[in-house]
Amino acid sequence: MAELSYRYAVAEGLAREMRRDPAVVVLGEDVAAAGGVWKTTQGLLDEFGPERVWDTPISEQAIVGAAIGAAMTGLRPIAEIMYADFLGVCWDQIANQAAKLRYMTAGQLTVPLVIRTIHGGGVAKGAQHSQSPENWALAVPGLRVACPSTPADVVGLLAGAVRADDPVVVFEHKGLLGSKGEVPDDEHVLELGRAAVRRRGTDLTIVALSATVRLALEAAAELEGQDVSAEVIDLRTLVPLDAGCVLESFKRTSRLLIVEENPRQGGWGAQIAALVAEEAFWYLDAPITRVAGESVPLPAARGLENAVLPSADQVTETALKLART
Amino acid sequence: MTAGNGTVQWLHDRYADMRRIRRFEDITYTLFRRGTLDGTAHMAAGQEAVAVGARAALGADDYVFSTYRCHHHVIAAGAPMDRCFAELLQRRTGLCGGKGGSMHLTSVEHGVMGSYAIVGSQLPIACGAAWSAHIRGTGGVAVAFFGDGATNIGAFHEALNLAAVWRLPAVFVCENNLYAEFTAIATSINVEHPAYDRAPAYGMPAAIVDGNDVEAVHEAVATAVGRARDGDGPTLLEAKTYRRYGHSRIDPADYRPDEEEETWFARDPLTVTRRRLDELGVEASRVDETDERVGREVDEALETAMQAPEPEVGDAFADVYAEGGAGWRS
């Protein structure tokens, strides 16, 4: 075990897959010579050379399109889209092409493609560099969606994504880049669709993802001091969704709190709420509750941004109210 | 006088390929008029020489990317016609099991890596196949077909630039049939040639070719493919052609002037090639025999497709994900 930053874990995870499989190639804006604007591809060009690590023009459609074409012809490309907001520029390639080619061709085409991007607010960069649009990807059958919350999960989920034969969108979180954690030295592969129970509890279930896992864990520690035992589930992937893990936990606690950074309006938490309402309604002891990003574009001013993004305090207060309902 | 790659037989074979496509498209149109076909179809009749001439310049390691107007590319590649018809009829034996339909004909075993119904979307994807061929060192070339309308969409420009700057083994073939759906391309660009005139902006070699002359298309594509295989990068070709039918289904194309139609129909690729075969001394009766033989083949393919079963409901849930099914949750 070595302690790595989340940021370094990305480069390490990519390098491990590139060492293992010569078909893995990396492309994106500034990913080669510059090592990525987030320094998440640092060292790859030196180790693997310019035939495996490619700087592209600022052309998101060309980046994802080229990755799709390479994926269907024998490579396993990893495309970087610098900010998740920029998925909007190449959404046709992702949602209409990558997601649907296998289906439309009755399995003749396979697109083993990874699209890495970075999401998340809290950086005072305004509405076009701060979003958490994982709910966009969640809404498209044919895509898989992974959102690692720890350095170990970064390595494990990247390995799982690269080895999957489907297009996978991996969201890394800006707010987590500097966080540290133990990463196994040996091969570490996480199968997509397996949630992690980060904390055991009995009074309520908190379902979180990516950076909101940290909020949920902070809140759970606070709640313990107030005699409330919260279970914290890190979904890790939205597709496949580990419905079994959520339902099993909820049936024990009978109270559900969902913590999501994407907007409440159409956010992934609504999917979890629907799942529980449809399949475990009779276990409910209190209304399903969501702490979510507000349904507004993200403002640049820190004070405003903080007011519309979920916080640990908000999770704690909401959880207390829920536990006492 | 030589023909195509040097033999009269070669040209006669290409004539047969074009006739096969024409027959297929004429039947498709008829099926639509009768209400036998559901959904939509974009007939490529009139544009056969582009598909057939280009295909004759390609090998087994090359890739073709097509558009919603794809029937000619897939048939030219050698996909079985009964499975093409079956896909249009949305039957289980169709190339895509009835799940793609007319706009998404695909036959990977014949090198046709999909037909893309979002205008221009296949161009970046073709870049990726070319990039992959380069990295894997296969010597393969990716050919992307697109219409004149695609030259105004961003994906076209991003793809051309990427291909040029990465010197990809790619050939971009514009089938300029003068109309972007129902709008004359001339009214939506400020240059004369929608594809050719854009190539200099990307530092890409380009040529205009008579898209109704199968020999001319073949020669131009063969030159471009040779350049790509030699590592000299991509080429953009603009083939001037014209569709016999409207944009899709039973669009009567009322927006086209009569004189324009007359001029172009007189230069129909089948007429052009027949005339050429005549010049080369091929008896008209032999060409008539080809018409009859190919016609029978296509009719038989239709009959086979009409007997094919509908897809089963379970098919709707297959192949969403690589594991085979539609499992979005565990």
Side-chain angles (χ1 to χ4, degrees):
Chain A
M1 287 280 201
E3 190 180 64
L4 297 182
S5 69
Y6 186 100
R7 181 195 313 278
Y8 187 77
V10 176
E12 171 69 11
L14 296 174
R16 287 186 187 185
E17 287 307 294
M18 292 180 82
R19 282 177 208 131
R20 181 187 63 81
D21 183 353
V24 179
V25 293
V26 165
L27 74 162
E29 295 156 11
D30 299 326
V31 297
V37 294
W38 303 100
K39 301 299 170 201
T40 44
T41 53
Q42 198 138 39
L44 297 183
L45 178 64
D46 285 346
E47 180 172 353
F48 301 101
E51 285 290 287
R52 306 272 308 273
V53 187
W54 292 66
D55 276 328
T56 66
I58 300 178
S59 301
E60 280 82 6
Q61 295 187 68
I63 293 169
V64 177
I68 293 170
M72 67 169 66
T73 55
L75 296 182
R76 288 191 174 261
I78 303 173
E80 178 175 307
I81 298 298
M82 193 184 288
Y83 281 83
D85 313 70
F86 307 168
L87 294 176
V89 185
C90 47
W91 199 239
D92 172 57
Q93 292 293 337
I94 298 172
N96 287 326
Q97 312 308 334
K100 294 177 173 59
L101 286 171
R102 160 171 279 276
Y103 189 82
M104 294 197 306
T105 64
Q108 291 185 71
L109 293 174
T110 297
V111 186
L113 157 70
V114 176
I115 299 167
R116 293 176 43 247
T117 190
I118 200 152
H119 66 165
V123 289
K125 288 190 174 185
Q128 297 176 345
H129 288 71
S130 306
Q131 294 175 85
S132 292
E134 54 272 16
N135 58 329
W136 301 357
L138 166 65
V140 182
L143 296 180
R144 298 195 182 279
V145 183
C147 304
S149 72
T150 68
D153 276 17
V154 165
V155 171
L157 288 174
L158 276 176
V162 169
R163 299 175 198 202
D165 286 332
D166 296 307
V168 185
V169 187
V170 179
F171 290 88
E172 295 151 13
H173 197 286
K174 296 180 200 90
L176 298 175
L177 286 174
S179 64
K180 292 191 170 164
E182 297 282 322
V183 175
D185 296 326
D186 297 330
E187 178 164 277
H188 178 54
V189 187
L190 290 172
E191 183 191 350
L192 305 182
R194 294 277 172 265
V197 178
R198 298 293 184 196
R199 183 185 173 111
R200 288 284 171 192
T202 54
D203 295 333
L204 78 156
T205 298
I206 304 179
V207 176
L209 181 78
S210 184
T212 69
V213 173
R214 194 165 60 178
L215 303 184
L217 288 170
E218 280 175 32
E222 181 69 25
L223 290 164
E224 192 176 20
Q226 308 206 37
D227 290 330
V228 173
S229 165
E231 180 145 310
V232 175
I233 293 176
D234 176 354
L235 283 177
R236 283 178 165 157
T237 60
L238 290 176
V239 185
L241 179 67
D242 195 345
C245 177
V246 173
L247 291 167
E248 185 279 326
S249 171
F250 169 72
K251 286 178 182 175
R252 280 189 284 106
T253 64
S254 295
R255 284 180 168 77
L256 179 65
L257 172 61
I258 302 153
V259 189
E260 55 193 310
E261 187 170 329
N262 62 194
R264 176 181 302 275
Q265 177 186 342
W268 60 259
Q271 180 66 58
I272 306 296
L275 171 82
V276 168
E278 285 171 347
E279 300 184 23
F281 183 78
W282 303 109
Y283 291 84
L284 275 168
D285 281 349
I288 298 168
T289 307
R290 294 166 68 198
V291 170
E294 298 296 345
S295 299
V296 297
L298 286 174
R302 288 265 179 203
L304 295 181
E305 193 183 22
N306 289 341
V308 298
L309 288 177
S311 68
D313 286 347
Q314 198 185 357
V315 177
T316 307
E317 283 162 30
T318 311
L320 272 176
K321 210 188 291 177
L322 179 61
R324 289 164 184 168
T325 300
Chain B
M1 242 181 176
T2 59
N5 73 347
T7 69
V8 175
Q9 187 58 47
W10 181 92
L11 187 62
H12 201 154
D13 289 346
R14 301 292 78 75
Y15 175 84
D17 292 343
M18 293 194 290
R19 174 57 73 189
R20 190 175 292 116
I21 295 165
R22 176 64 54 86
R23 178 79 182 160
F24 183 94
E25 296 294 56
D26 287 346
I27 290 174
T28 298
Y29 181 73
T30 307
L31 293 176
F32 250 109
R33 286 189 71 100
R34 282 193 206 137
T36 308
L37 276 184
D38 202 354
T40 190
H42 303 74
M43 276 68 69
Q47 303 180 200
E48 296 91 343
V50 185
V52 169
R55 182 67 204 188
L58 301 181
D61 288 332
D62 299 328
Y63 302 112
V64 167
F65 291 82
S66 184
T67 76
Y68 52 72
R69 197 179 308 284
C70 57
H71 307 168
H72 53 334
H73 300 135
V74 179
I75 296 170
M81 275 176 302
D82 59 327
R83 297 196 61 205
C84 294
F85 270 132
E87 191 59 36
L88 266 61
L89 291 159
Q90 302 166 358
R91 302 298 171 91
R92 197 159 202 238
T93 57
L95 288 174
C96 303
K99 285 160 64 174
S102 160
M103 297 194 282
H104 298 296
L105 298 185
T106 299
S107 186
V108 169
E109 69 174 296
H110 297 93
V112 184
M113 308 301 283
S115 295
Y116 299 76
I118 307 292
V119 170
S121 62
Q122 73 282 10
L123 277 78
I125 300 175
C127 286
W131 179 50
S132 160
H134 159 78
I135 290 176
R136 292 178 295 117
T138 65
V141 173
V143 179
F145 294 98
F146 55 98
D148 43 284
T151 64
N152 287 335
I153 206 159
F156 167 81
H157 297 275
E158 292 196 16
L160 256 57
N161 183 58
L162 188 78
V165 79
W166 283 5
R167 288 180 81 79
L168 295 176
V171 181
F172 300 96
V173 183
C174 176
E175 294 181 29
N176 180 359
N177 62 23
L178 310 191
Y179 289 84
E181 302 204 1
F182 311 133
T183 300
I185 189 67
T187 65
S188 47
I189 49 171
N190 211 17
V191 291
E192 188 181 356
H193 307 293
Y196 176 82
D197 286 344
R198 264 76 173 260
Y202 304 105
M204 189 183 294
I208 291 174
V209 58
D210 180 351
N212 284 9
D213 180 340
V214 71
E215 294 173 277
V217 172
H218 174 254
E219 191 181 327
V221 175
T223 303
V225 166
R227 184 185 295 146
R229 279 202 221 292
D230 289 345
D232 293 334
T235 304
L236 189 148
L237 299 174
E238 179 171 334
K240 305 285 191 185
T241 185
Y242 203 71
R243 48 172 149 79
R244 301 285 312 195
Y245 295 107
H247 167 68
S248 65
R249 291 166 53 107
I250 52 172
D251 163 31
D254 289 339
Y255 42 84
R256 300 197 303 200
D258 291 344
E259 321 79 73
E260 181 186 283
E261 289 195 344
E262 281 163 27
T263 309
W264 277 96
F265 291 166
R267 294 207 58 259
D268 184 282
L270 288 164
T271 311
V272 168
T273 308
R274 263 196 100 108
R275 197 180 304 131
R276 181 93 170 108
L277 286 169
D278 182 57
E279 283 167 16
L280 293 167
V282 179
E283 300 269 341
S285 62
R286 283 199 50 217
V287 186
D288 291 342
E289 280 166 26
T290 301
D291 288 348
E292 278 164 37
R293 172 176 59 82
V294 169
R296 275 196 306 277
E297 272 174 38
V298 179
D299 292 352
E300 282 166 22
L302 175 66
E303 214 161 295
T304 305
M306 294 289 273
Q307 305 304 318
E310 303 280 337
E312 292 171 12
V313 173
D315 296 347
F317 300 92
D319 285 319
V320 178
Y321 293 103
E323 67 191 11
W328 65 275
R329 53 179 282 189
S330 54

